[in-house]
Amino acid sequence: MAPFTSPPGLCPTGVPTARHRLGARAAVIAATTTASLTVGLTRAAVTAVRHGAPAGRRQAARAVAQTVARLGPTFIKAAQVLGTRRDVVPGLLCDELSMLQDDVPPMTVAQSRAALREVYGDELASVFSSVEETPVASGSIACVYRAVALPDGDPVALKLRRPGIGPQMTADLGLLRRAAALVARLPQLRGVPVREVVDSLCESVLGQLDLGREGRDLSRLRGDLESIPRVLVPRVHRAASRSSAIVMDFVPSLAVDTADRCPPAMRRTFAASTLTVVYQMLFVNGFVHCDLHPGNLYFTRTGHVVVLDAGFSVRLTDQMRELFADFFLNMSVGRGDRCASIVLDSALGRAGDADVPAFVEGVRDLVARNHKLPAKEFSLIAFAGELFDLQRRYGVAATPELVFPLLSLLVVEGTVRELDPDIDFQETARPVLNRALFGSR
């Protein structure tokens, strides 16, 4: 009788190896993607015939986003980041990707207990006197619980990573990187930094897995913003935190609609403080929270602006911080040539057929049309959208160090406009820009 040999991908005991599991996951992703896109793009083609090409393109972008949603939280997180790269991804697709949500149910009581045991083990009773077993907030990577910390009995918020989520997301992102390497070889993508863009978004997602790093980032953000009146970043309890858990001050009575019930004068203060927070991060400190959506930005009845969750943050080099400040200053005074030079000098790459003169002329016209607009008519979102369109059209790919910080401004613009429709984004920036560019001199 011939000796028994394990099938490929199995160890001698018949248990699937990591390589086999990765291959199986890749097969599931490929099958799901193929099935979903076949149906979605067929519908898009029908829509284009019946209602015109623009409607068909919108339907096709929606089909791609729906496919991503079916692939699970790793791909949703990656797509959310990719949706910010309007310099390399069509605007219609960015719109759809940016609306993807982490629709993940909270951990059950049993899962919460297991996660606590995994992180704290026998130390749990010496770190907390109590932990509520039902989370107050839930995401694809972690859930947040109310707890009481020892030895002082302080009420705290405990952000606890889901068990097993790290290896799963790491494996999925590895597959995404391999796919990008294959796609980058296509002739029509020559000169487009596909691998660099995907590597950047993968690093952004992986960074959100390390809650120890996020805790350190929150502490840094707290220190960076402490000079701005009435801005609060919760204090991190470092001794109680771990690589898979952050313990921080619990801020009571946070609600997304608090500002709606405040008088107009306080709402205007909220708007100015929020913009100052972003400008301080961008132009002075160089450490930027890129995800200040209403779930991470709150206002209190006492007039405070509260900043939470530094999972998606970037660090700017001193050179890039100064370039960003220089870009914004020149934009505000109408120097389009200088703005174009800054984008070109910091670009991640240029396509083989990049039309640099046309790009420069386009930026010059864009800045000229915007720098004298009344505050009510100026839209940073519209400005950035047109800038990214110029980059995509003429083959200039921006560095993530320029795109991700700009995202922090785009995310808060809607919130700030609701608080104060008359606020002047450019005028509010001037004191911070002057401090950043000329203060040390």
Side-chain angles (χ1 to χ4, degrees):
M1 181 181 294
F4 171 79
T5 57
S6 300
L10 298 183
C11 70
T13 60
V15 177
T17 64
R19 183 176 180 181
H20 179 74
R21 289 192 296 271
L22 197 62
R25 175 61 175 156
V28 170
I29 291 171
T32 301
T33 301
T34 300
S36 181
L37 284 181
T38 299
V39 174
L41 296 181
T42 299
R43 290 176 179 168
V46 173
T47 300
V49 172
R50 293 179 176 175
H51 304 289
R57 286 192 291 269
R58 171 68 70 182
Q59 183 66 36
R62 189 166 298 126
V64 173
Q66 289 169 346
T67 299
V68 170
R70 293 186 176 98
L71 295 177
T74 304
F75 290 89
I76 291 174
K77 283 284 185 187
Q80 288 170 339
V81 178
L82 185 62
T84 68
R85 296 303 308 265
R86 291 176 181 265
D87 56 318
V88 292
V89 178
L92 281 176
L93 183 54
C94 286
D95 291 342
E96 295 295 331
L97 295 179
S98 65
M99 290 188 290
L100 287 169
Q101 300 295 321
D102 300 332
D103 189 15
V104 180
M107 285 194 277
T108 65
V109 170
Q111 290 170 332
S112 300
R113 290 174 179 171
L116 283 169
R117 284 195 303 270
E118 182 179 299
V119 174
Y120 290 99
D122 296 336
E123 295 182 310
L124 182 61
S126 64
V127 178
F128 305 102
S129 62
S130 66
V131 178
E132 293 186 4
E133 295 181 322
T134 302
V136 296
S138 174
S140 59
I141 291 176
C143 293
V144 181
Y145 302 80
R146 291 191 64 163
V148 177
L150 293 172
D152 300 324
D154 294 331
V156 295
L158 167 61
K159 185 173 181 179
L160 192 63
R161 196 172 74 186
R162 293 175 181 269
I165 192 67
Q168 175 190 332
M169 295 187 83
T170 300
D172 281 352
L173 292 171
L175 291 172
L176 189 59
R177 279 189 164 112
R178 293 184 187 184
L182 292 174
V183 170
R185 297 177 182 176
L186 296 175
Q188 56 267 43
L189 293 178
R190 186 173 301 142
V192 178
V194 175
R195 297 181 68 169
E196 292 84 351
V197 169
V198 171
D199 282 344
S200 172
L201 71 88
C202 287
E203 289 304 315
S204 296
V205 174
L206 285 172
Q208 297 178 52
L209 288 171
D210 186 353
L211 298 192
R213 180 201 59 78
E214 184 181 338
R216 294 189 294 274
D217 286 350
L218 270 175
S219 294
R220 173 174 176 176
L221 198 63
R222 178 181 169 89
D224 285 350
L225 301 181
E226 65 183 359
S227 63
I228 304 177
R230 311 195 78 78
V231 172
L232 173 63
V233 180
R235 175 175 59 100
V236 174
H237 297 239
R238 294 195 179 186
S241 299
R242 302 289 187 271
S243 62
S244 298
I246 307 174
V247 180
M248 66 201 100
D249 288 343
F250 187 87
V251 184
S253 305
L254 294 182
V256 294
D257 62 347
T258 298
D260 297 338
R261 303 190 298 273
C262 292
M266 185 175 286
R267 289 170 60 84
R268 288 193 292 271
T269 300
F270 286 152
S273 295
T274 300
L275 265 190
T276 302
V277 163
V278 178
Y279 291 148
Q280 178 81 10
M281 294 188 298
L282 287 172
F283 307 140
V284 178
N285 301 122
F287 179 71
V288 187
H289 187 312
C290 296
D291 199 19
L292 288 175
H293 60 75
N296 292 333
L297 181 69
Y298 289 89
F299 308 102
T300 72
R301 296 288 294 177
T302 58
H304 286 85
V305 176
V306 181
V307 178
L308 304 175
D309 193 346
F312 183 13
S313 301
V314 298
R315 295 166 177 79
L316 303 181
T317 63
D318 287 342
Q319 179 187 22
M320 185 56 65
R321 177 180 56 78
E322 291 179 3
L323 281 176
F324 203 96
D326 199 13
F327 178 90
F328 206 90
L329 181 64
N330 281 283
M331 179 188 78
S332 68
V333 296
R335 296 174 184 152
D337 285 342
R338 176 57 184 155
C339 289
S341 295
I342 290 170
V343 176
L344 290 169
D345 290 344
S346 63
L348 185 63
R350 301 181 192 179
D353 58 350
D355 190 341
V356 174
F359 173 75
V360 172
E361 181 57 36
V363 174
R364 184 188 296 120
D365 173 67
L366 173 64
V367 171
R369 285 187 282 106
N370 278 272
H371 90 280
K372 289 185 178 180
L373 283 178
K376 262 190 174 180
E377 296 179 23
F378 175 75
S379 168
L380 191 64
I381 292 176
F383 179 93
E386 192 168 342
L387 175 63
F388 290 149
D389 182 64
L390 287 169
Q391 291 176 251
R392 190 171 58 252
R393 188 188 315 161
Y394 296 120
V396 179
T399 175
E401 276 197 298
L402 188 64
V403 174
F404 288 160
L406 184 57
L407 174 65
S408 63
L409 272 170
L410 303 186
V411 170
V412 302
E413 180 174 12
T415 300
V416 169
R417 290 290 187 199
E418 286 184 12
L419 293 167
D420 181 6
D422 295 320
I423 194 166
D424 190 326
F425 274 65
Q426 300 180 56
E427 190 59 35
T428 306
R430 286 184 191 277
V432 187
L433 283 169
N434 288 332
R435 188 162 68 251
L437 292 173
F438 311 118
S440 62
R441 302 174 194 176

